[in-house]
Amino acid sequence: MNERSLLADEARYCSFGDTVHYVEPPKIFERCSGSYLFDARGVPYLDLQMWYSAVNFGYANPRLSDAMRRQLDKLPQVASQYLHPTKVELAKAIGEDAQRKWGAKGRVHFNVGGSQSIEDSLKLVRNARGGKSLMFAFEGGYHGRTLGASAITSSYRYRRRFGHFGDRAHFVPFPYHFRGGAGMTKEQYGEHCVRQFERLFESEYQGVWDPRANEAEYAAFYVEPVQGTGGYVVPPPNYFARLKEVLDRHGILLVVDEIQMGFFRTGRLWSIEHFGVTPDIVVFGKALTNGLNPLAGLWAREALIGPTVFPPGSTHSTFASNPLGTAVGLETMKMLRETDYASLVEAKGAHFLQGLKELQRRHPEIGDVDGLGLALRAEICEADGFTPNKKLVDRMVDIGLSGDLGRGGEKFGLVLDIGGYYKNVVTFAPSLHITASEIDLGLVLFDEVLSRAKRDLA
Ligand SMILES: Cc1ncc(COP(=O)(O)O)c(C=O)c1O
């Protein structure tokens, strides 16, 4: 491969509407395995973000790749009006799990990406609430970039050029304790945030509630229980249960976006399970197929998705429930049943978090570290430990991707991803199969990139 001509062809022929190159020139990888990406020189880059948590089970996971190969040899393609077994079996596995956990009957609908499944959920919600098109969503929330999904995603940047095709959400502050809860414990802050939201329903004059009709103007609240793009913000443990009480009292549906935090990223199949509330709709994607196929989907309570309310033709995509995707998704669900991922992720997450806390003691620039399972965060700040320091974190990403880390003979790279409201949060989403020694290596490399970035910018 000639790197220069590849980049020249990209500049000439590829749309840059989707491409975000965080480094210049963009990094090119040739191979992947387990927790590592390899460049053309064969240098291993320890990946601590795994394609925004799409590859929870390691690159080129043999079991999941084999499931895809088997399906490729058997029934790789078939039109959606015909049935194929893995579609039904996968829907059943997800539906049975939901019924066991929440005692609720429901159904699964597949589509070809997270955003498209969010669109489907918007149809379900609007249909169930008499066409109401107004939604609540969180500041810092991310639900995708299709037109409907970007209307409930907090960033105006994603909408600015395109006008409005639907109503944008009413964005409610997420209980982001590190940046909002001064003087309060996490729990007190959780309660405080719910009360702020609850205030909207005090009388008709707060603009969302008609007490005479007993009806809210809003159909649903879209939540990421742990914010993804928003910077892996873990809410106070009491927040969602209290929020759900308010929603139930006012007939507002709870739609849980598990696209990034699902499939045991946080130590549970769905991150909402940590918070003891029952969702009306769960939207999932990414790690369902370990990133091998863009299959995504949703589970919804029967009342919202049964055939009488959501009949044939309500939504469709040619590639929805494609057999390659459903075969891998089914294998993922089988794998999750056979191994105690809850304990495994909890133990690895605790190890990783403890290491980050040790680094925080030595680097005042690490303002906050936190995590749930293997969704971890390190907020990079000025030396005051609070003022966001995007320059420092950007430098860290560059150094990680230079591929010349490590003190001994062997050279390494480090793949980091940045999120957060101020783009200063390292969001760690390592493989759930990462080993203890790889976690230790990750901490050593993280220490090195931070120390080098600090020196460079001194
Ligand atoms: C929480 C969340 N919702 C929705 C999406 C959109 O999914 P997709 O990129 O598959 O359209 C993402 C993708 O990053 C996400 O993290």
Side-chain angles (χ1 to χ4, degrees):
M1 176 193 63
N2 179 333
E3 208 168 298
R4 275 195 28 202
S5 72
L6 189 73
L7 292 174
D9 284 348
E10 186 208 20
R12 168 68 186 80
Y13 295 109
C14 294
S15 153
F16 277 61
D18 181 31
T19 317
V20 182
H21 294 326
Y22 292 108
V23 289
E24 255 332 298
K27 193 78 210 164
I28 301 171
F29 289 113
E30 288 220 330
R31 199 165 65 75
C32 61
S33 171
S35 286
Y36 294 96
L37 290 163
F38 296 85
D39 69 10
R41 298 171 298 163
V43 173
Y45 291 69
L46 180 64
D47 193 338
L48 296 181
Q49 63 109 358
M50 302 305 282
W51 198 359
Y52 324 119
S53 197
V55 194
N56 284 3
F57 311 105
Y59 286 116
N61 178 298
R63 177 169 176 173
L64 299 175
S65 299
D66 281 348
M68 174 156 277
R69 276 188 214 102
R70 279 198 306 276
Q71 191 66 34
L72 198 56
D73 289 338
K74 197 171 168 191
L75 181 75
Q77 60 246 107
V78 65
S80 60
Q81 74 254 44
Y82 309 111
L83 265 187
H84 54 94
T86 58
K87 169 188 171 176
V88 181
E89 290 169 48
L90 176 56
K92 184 178 173 191
I94 293 168
E96 280 186 345
D97 178 84
Q99 180 143 10
R100 208 170 40 249
K101 285 169 181 159
W102 300 316
K105 270 197 180 164
R107 290 171 194 265
V108 171
H109 184 93
F110 296 109
N111 210 320
V112 294
S115 305
Q116 289 77 1
S117 294
I118 289 285
E119 299 282 331
D120 289 340
S121 75
L122 285 164
K123 285 188 180 177
L124 291 180
V125 159
R126 289 165 78 139
N127 187 36
R129 288 291 177 270
K132 280 195 175 120
S133 56
L134 298 185
M135 311 292 154
F136 289 112
F138 280 123
E139 291 178 14
Y142 183 89
H143 301 289
R145 307 260 183 114
T146 52
L147 291 168
S150 52
I152 56 168
T153 289
S154 55
S155 301
Y156 170 48
R157 184 162 67 88
Y158 303 143
R159 292 186 291 271
R160 188 173 63 83
R161 294 168 189 282
F162 312 116
H164 288 138
F165 292 80
D167 298 296
R168 85 199 258 296
H170 176 107
F171 294 104
V172 173
F174 190 81
Y176 181 2
H177 183 251
F178 178 67
R179 296 219 166 262
M184 285 182 251
T185 63
K186 242 185 150 178
E187 280 74 11
Q188 286 167 341
Y189 189 55
E191 181 59 29
H192 168 83
C193 290
V194 173
R195 289 232 179 107
Q196 291 299 107
F197 177 67
E198 201 168 20
R199 218 185 58 79
L200 290 175
F201 302 91
E202 242 167 49
S203 77
E204 71 182 79
Y205 299 104
Q206 278 78 28
V208 308
W209 176 242
D210 181 346
R212 295 185 195 202
N214 222 17
E215 197 179 305
E217 199 172 11
Y218 286 72
F221 199 143
Y222 274 74
V223 311
E224 292 164 86
V226 173
Q227 290 201 310
T229 307
Y232 283 28
V233 190
V234 182
N238 56 336
Y239 178 78
F240 276 107
R242 282 281 290 113
L243 181 75
K244 183 70 162 69
E245 279 169 31
V246 179
L247 299 181
D248 285 348
R249 249 185 285 135
H250 300 98
I252 297 166
L253 298 166
L254 177 67
V255 183
V256 176
D257 180 341
E258 295 280 357
I259 292 166
Q260 188 156 164
M261 291 296 155
F263 299 101
F264 281 92
R265 169 56 51 206
T266 67
R268 298 285 183 276
L269 179 64
W270 311 125
S271 61
I272 193 68
E273 291 175 52
H274 292 282
F275 304 108
V277 301
T278 301
D280 294 295
I281 298 177
V282 175
V283 190
F284 52 83
K286 293 191 196 284
L288 169 65
T289 66
N290 205 32
L292 287 176
N293 182 281
L295 188 72
L298 60 79
W299 171 92
R301 283 196 297 106
E302 182 68 17
L304 305 173
I305 201 175
T308 49
V309 291
F310 202 61
S314 298
T315 178
H316 169 70
S317 168
T318 299
F319 296 109
S321 68
N322 76 85
L324 290 175
T326 54
V328 182
L330 180 61
E331 197 64 31
T332 300
M333 291 301 288
K334 284 184 185 160
M335 195 173 81
L336 294 176
R337 272 203 301 263
E338 288 166 18
T339 309
D340 182 5
Y341 274 91
S343 308
L344 176 145
V345 170
E346 208 170 297
K348 290 179 186 186
H351 176 175
F352 206 139
L353 187 61
Q354 189 198 344
L356 288 175
K357 284 188 173 157
E358 276 160 26
L359 288 180
Q360 188 185 28
R361 281 194 278 281
R362 284 195 283 114
H363 294 282
E365 293 81 3
I366 304 180
D368 182 48
V369 294
D370 199 2
L372 190 61
L374 278 167
L376 299 138
R377 75 194 311 268
E379 190 148 336
I380 305 300
C381 304
E382 305 285 346
D384 65 3
F386 191 74
T387 311
N389 192 341
K390 182 174 178 317
K391 222 167 140 185
L392 183 58
V393 88
D394 285 347
R395 186 74 199 119
M396 290 169 67
V397 171
D398 286 352
I399 294 170
L401 290 178
S402 67
D404 66 350
L405 304 173
R407 274 160 225 124
E410 199 182 354
K411 288 290 166 213
F412 286 98
L414 185 67
V415 178
L416 299 174
D417 193 39
I418 305 309
Y421 297 29
Y422 309 98
K423 290 285 163 269
N424 70 317
V425 181
V426 180
T427 52
F428 297 98
S431 165
L432 307 187
H433 294 181
I434 193 169
T435 64
S437 62
E438 285 168 345
I439 292 176
D440 291 336
L441 174 66
L443 291 163
V444 167
L445 298 177
F446 188 73
D447 189 10
E448 184 178 343
V449 294
L450 178 53
S451 303
R452 272 172 62 175
K454 278 161 58 174
R455 276 201 303 278
D456 287 358
L457 298 180

